[in-house]
Amino acid sequence: MDRVLNLNRVGYGAMQLTGPGVYGPPPDREAAKRVLRRAVELGVDHIDTSDYYGPHVVNELIREALHPYDGLTIVTKVGYRRTADQDWVPARTADDLRQAVHDNLRNLKVDRLDVVNLRVDGSHVPLEEPLTALAGLREEGLIRDLGISNTTRLEEALAITPVVCVQNHYNIAHRDDEPTLEAAAARGVAYVPFFPLGGFTPLQDQALDEVAAAHDATPRQVALAWLLHRSPTVLLIPGTSSERHLEENLASAELRLSEQDLTRLDTIG
Ligand SMILES: NC(=O)c1ccc[n+]([C@@H]2O[C@H](COP(=O)([O-])OP(=O)(O)OC[C@H]3O[C@@H](n4cnc5c(N)ncnc54)[C@H](OP(=O)(O)O)[C@@H]3O)[C@@H](O)[C@H]2O)c1
């Protein structure tokens, strides 16, 4: 299938490489680094992260495993910070965002971030001020491209500044965000569904099992392939801490679903 943003359509989401609750170090740092290296060996050219995963832990693992990132695009997120008691706190003032960008630059050990997503969360949250602050950091050369996350406000964002991707909760069983997915396709913006496999609530459905059996595939591969078929600008970032699951997820790019499969899968969600 075609590439999106000049990237392979199946990348890797690194959020699972922390301790429980997306906080602290993973149980086995070397195993986490092996997953990252294996992802790149298998052709992943796009990794999704944030400095608030851990916090800092995931970016440090990515740096230790993969620096200097030859040919790899690393997409990070800003707009929140973690507290010592593991809470998630909005951090979207111009100072917060500058700090977050510098934390990402330092922990990933780069001079410029490839893509920075502003995590928005909610229609009441001001968009213009934080996005303009990030556009200023892009102007300074600290960021190549911007994206947005956890928001349906793509048109509003595009009226403020160019954005190349939008990252929202979407999967075969959770389709509320279809209007944003359609808008992204119409605008040539990458749509990056998070929780593509259901996140902390793994996807399960008889239709997935049936289509998987017919293709000698797994239900997870069918769920990922369905997303790739759903829109031409979808880019995937399934997360896993397992090399075996990683291999399985990457192979979903080769799975071709028929019209009959898609009709059967449409009964989900
Ligand atoms: N913008 C946001 O607010 C936001 C929010 C959440 C996530 N994200 C991003 O989106 C990425 C993807 O989301 P996610 O990792 O939370 O959820 P996900 O990709 O839907 O699912 C990950 C879960 O599925 C399991 N899994 C993965 N592949 C599997 C396979 N082949 N067979 C069986 N189980 C499998 C993983 O466990 P194992 O480790 O055992 O494989 C993990 O528990 C994250 O890594 C993160 O980068 C962004």
Side-chain angles (χ1 to χ4, degrees), residues 13-16 48 53 77 119 149-150 167 194-199 220 237-242 245 248-249:
M15 189 185 80
Q16 304 287 342
D48 187 79
Y53 294 159
K77 270 173 248 78
R119 192 174 150 183
S149 173
N150 301 65
Q167 184 178 126
F194 73 75
F195 294 158
L197 295 169
R220 269 84 47 186
I237 50 164
T240 181
S241 52
S242 144
H245 290 168
E248 179 183 326
N249 297 345

Side-chain angles (χ1 to χ4, degrees), residues 116-172:
V116 175
N117 282 325
L118 174 67
R119 192 174 150 183
V120 181
D121 292 275
S123 52
H124 60 287
V125 172
L127 191 57
E128 181 153 7
E129 196 178 290
L131 213 44
T132 304
L134 286 173
L137 297 170
R138 183 180 54 193
E139 194 70 17
E140 281 180 40
L142 301 181
I143 299 172
R144 190 188 71 208
D145 287 308
L146 292 176
I148 50 174
S149 173
N150 301 65
T151 183
T152 58
R153 296 155 72 190
L154 177 60
E155 290 301 332
E156 195 183 333
L158 286 168
I160 298 167
T161 194
V163 296
V164 301
C165 54
V166 52
Q167 184 178 126
N168 282 344
H169 185 182
Y170 182 82
N171 61 49
I172 195 167

Side-chain angles (χ1 to χ4, degrees), residues 12-256:
Y12 173 70
M15 189 185 80
Q16 304 287 342
L17 299 181
T18 62
V22 197
Y23 205 88
D28 183 341
R29 284 184 77 87
E30 289 312 310
K33 288 194 258 180
R34 277 199 300 277
V35 171
L36 287 162
R37 291 196 189 103
R38 185 75 183 128
V40 172
E41 265 171 35
L42 291 171
V44 162
D45 58 5
H46 159 212
I47 294 182
D48 187 79
T49 182
S50 174
D51 207 60
Y52 57 61
Y53 294 159
H56 317 304
V57 170
V58 169
N59 278 350
E60 287 165 1
L61 288 167
I62 291 172
R63 184 190 70 226
E64 288 168 25
L66 298 173
H67 191 272
Y69 317 123
D70 194 19
L72 187 62
T73 292
I74 300 179
V75 178
T76 190
K77 270 173 248 78
V78 296
Y80 272 77
R81 65 181 172 79
R82 304 300 296 276
T83 64
D85 51 6
Q86 305 193 14
D87 272 350
W88 301 76
V89 180
R92 290 188 211 97
T93 68
D95 284 349
D96 289 333
L97 295 171
R98 178 174 288 278
Q99 176 71 50
V101 163
H102 280 282
D103 287 347
N104 277 282
L105 288 167
R106 184 183 65 255
N107 288 323
L108 290 169
K109 205 173 170 198
V110 291
D111 296 330
R112 184 179 70 159
L113 300 171
D114 296 324
V115 184
V116 175
N117 282 325
L118 174 67
R119 192 174 150 183
V120 181
D121 292 275
S123 52
H124 60 287
V125 172
L127 191 57
E128 181 153 7
E129 196 178 290
L131 213 44
T132 304
L134 286 173
L137 297 170
R138 183 180 54 193
E139 194 70 17
E140 281 180 40
L142 301 181
I143 299 172
R144 190 188 71 208
D145 287 308
L146 292 176
I148 50 174
S149 173
N150 301 65
T151 183
T152 58
R153 296 155 72 190
L154 177 60
E155 290 301 332
E156 195 183 333
L158 286 168
I160 298 167
T161 194
V163 296
V164 301
C165 54
V166 52
Q167 184 178 126
N168 282 344
H169 185 182
Y170 182 82
N171 61 49
I172 195 167
H174 182 98
R175 305 192 198 177
D176 296 353
D177 200 41
E178 302 249 307
T180 318
L181 174 139
E182 299 286 2
R187 292 295 219 126
V189 167
Y191 185 86
V192 186
F194 73 75
F195 294 158
L197 295 169
F200 299 106
T201 337
L203 294 174
Q204 277 184 323
D205 194 281
Q206 199 185 334
L208 282 174
D209 295 342
E210 285 173 20
V211 174
H215 286 274
D216 199 15
T218 69
R220 269 84 47 186
Q221 287 175 320
V222 173
L224 294 175
W226 180 85
L227 286 165
L228 293 175
H229 284 70
R230 180 63 193 80
S231 159
T233 68
V234 160
L235 266 183
L236 294 183
I237 50 164
T240 181
S241 52
S242 144
E243 289 183 68
R244 190 168 57 80
H245 290 168
L246 174 76
E247 287 168 19
E248 179 183 326
N249 297 345
L250 292 172
S252 65
E254 308 307 322
L255 186 55
R256 299 288 175 270

